[in-house]
Amino acid sequence: MADCIFCKIAAGEINARVVYEDADTIAFLDLNPQAPAHALIIPRRHIPRLTAAEDGDAELLGKLQLAAVRTAKFLKVEGAFRLVTNNGKAAGQSVDHLHYHLLAGRKLLWPPG
Ligand code: 5GP
Ligand code: ZN
C-alpha cells in the first residue's frame, strides 16, 4: 500500500534490521526499542490492524505467530518474551499495518501501562 512505512520495509524500499523473513512474513528490530530485545513481526501483505483480518487470513495469522517464535529463537530470548499487538489508536497503534511487538531482555511488568 502506498505511503505505508511497513509495506516499504517489507518491499526493501526502506532499510530495517531484519531478523527473520519468509514468503509471507518479515520481522525487524524496532527503531525505538522499549526493551533490550524489541522486534516487530508483520505480514508482508498490508492488513491495517488485527480487526481487519478476515477468515481467509487464518493461516497467515498462524504463520505470524510462528514467525514470532523463530524471531525469539534468533534473538535467543525464547525462554521469556511478550508478544503484543496494539489494535487502534487508543490502544497505542501508530502504524496502520498489522504488527506484533516482541519484547524481551528485561523484567516485563504486568499489567502493562
Ligand atoms: P505501534 O505504536 O503502532 O504499536 O508500533 C509501531 C512501532 O513501529 C513503534 O514501536 C515504532 O518505534 C516503530 N517504527 C515506526 N517507524 C519505524 C521505522 O521506520 N522502522 C522501524 N524499524 N520501526 C519503526
Ligand atoms: Zn502496509
Side-chain angles (χ1 to χ4, degrees), residues 22 24-25 43 45 47 53-67:
D22 59 37
D24 302 302
T25 72
R45 182 158 59 79
I47 298 174
E54 299 175 345
D55 287 355
D57 297 319
E59 188 178 352
L60 179 59
L61 293 178
K63 286 179 176 178
L64 267 181
Q65 299 226 36
L66 292 173

Side-chain angles (χ1 to χ4, degrees), residues 1-9 14 46 95-97:
M1 192 204 180
D3 288 339
C4 171
I5 202 157
F6 286 0
C7 280
K8 287 181 178 160
I9 287 174
I14 289 180
H46 184 85
V95 177
D96 285 336
H97 180 130

Side-chain angles (χ1 to χ4, degrees), residues 6-60:
F6 286 0
C7 280
K8 287 181 178 160
I9 287 174
E13 292 165 11
I14 289 180
N15 279 340
R17 298 270 306 278
V18 175
V19 289
Y20 174 79
E21 62 181 323
D22 59 37
D24 302 302
T25 72
I26 182 166
F28 49 92
L29 299 184
D30 197 293
L31 205 57
N32 182 24
Q34 302 301 313
H38 186 176
L40 301 170
I41 301 101
I42 71 168
R44 289 186 184 275
R45 182 158 59 79
H46 184 85
I47 298 174
R49 61 193 57 79
L50 187 56
T51 47
E54 299 175 345
D55 287 355
D57 297 319
E59 188 178 352
L60 179 59

Side-chain angles (χ1 to χ4, degrees), residues 68-104:
V69 172
R70 288 177 186 138
T71 299
K73 287 181 176 167
F74 178 81
L75 296 173
K76 302 193 187 321
V77 298
E78 70 271 26
F81 63 87
R82 180 169 295 161
L83 190 64
V84 66
T85 189
N86 297 327
N87 189 96
K89 220 183 255 313
Q93 184 174 11
S94 62
V95 177
D96 285 336
H97 180 130
L98 173 61
H99 52 282
Y100 286 91
H101 296 259
L102 187 152
L103 298 144

